[in-house]
Amino acid sequence: FGESAIVKIPLAGTGTAEMDLAGNNVTGVVVNGDYAYVTSVGGAQQANGNPASKLEVFDISGTAPSFLAEIVSAIPNSFGGDFVDVAFVNNKAYVLAAHYNTAYSQYSYIVIQTTEADLQAGGFGTGAKYKTATVSPASPCFALLPGEGNDLYLVDGVKFQSIDTSLDIDA
């Protein structure tokens, strides 16, 4: 559950690996253009989410990754949760956060639709939209999976769902 790092490894024989520290218990890294989006639980998973969970943005355009922005506990609607995944589809950014209930029998999640610029600025922006749901039985398998074209799929712990990226997530 300790601190993690993002490491940029150059092509063979062209330099040395460079790193920057990332949050505790990283759950994923998504690269889009010159940026890496790193989600972390913040330590051990907790009911209703770990308050140390974060989404960090790193600029990877140079020889070493450099920290750009961090989002912590800024999830809309006071939804507690752990940052799990990020996806970029149809000129929109999607962020997935989820957490167990106190009995660890259900899992609640939120999918937040925003822009890449807002994430790089360290937030979701004033135009963010979101959708929440709860699934049972609880399962730890959650993901946002871009497909062909503008396809986006959500693994919600129980089943796969298709997200219509031509509409706002709250429609």
Side-chain angles (χ1 to χ4, degrees):
F1 301 125
E3 196 165 49
S4 303
I6 181 169
V7 179
K8 186 171 183 182
I9 302 170
L11 296 174
T14 63
T16 59
E18 300 287 343
M19 67 171 251
D20 200 349
L21 295 178
N24 292 344
N25 200 6
V26 165
T27 56
V29 177
V30 173
V31 174
N32 193 52
D34 288 337
Y35 299 92
Y37 299 83
V38 180
T39 55
S40 63
V41 174
Q45 280 188 303
Q46 302 173 17
N48 299 317
N50 186 329
S53 177
K54 57 181 139 180
L55 167 59
E56 295 172 288
V57 182
F58 293 86
D59 182 340
I60 57 171
S61 62
T63 57
S66 61
F67 175 79
L68 181 67
E70 172 181 279
I71 302 171
V72 180
S73 302
I75 300 174
N77 201 30
S78 301
F79 182 92
D82 299 326
F83 288 104
V84 178
D85 206 356
V86 179
F88 300 92
V89 178
N90 202 13
N91 297 315
K92 299 174 187 175
Y94 294 88
V95 176
L96 174 63
H99 63 265
Y100 286 103
N101 65 355
T102 54
Y104 289 85
S105 60
Q106 293 181 320
Y107 221 76
S108 295
Y109 68 87
I110 186 170
V111 178
I112 306 157
Q113 174 194 313
T114 186
T115 67
E116 187 171 15
D118 284 332
L119 294 180
Q120 291 171 5
F124 295 114
T126 57
K129 313 275 189 229
Y130 62 90
K131 173 95 172 138
T132 61
T134 299
V135 294
S136 185
S139 173
C141 185
F142 276 76
L144 290 172
L145 305 170
E148 288 188 42
N150 292 327
D151 293 344
L152 179 62
Y153 302 95
L154 165 69
V155 180
D156 74 2
V158 177
K159 61 190 176 300
F160 283 89
Q161 297 184 53
S162 178
I163 295 174
D164 185 348
T165 62
S166 69
L167 303 172
D168 286 336
I169 192 78
D170 60 349

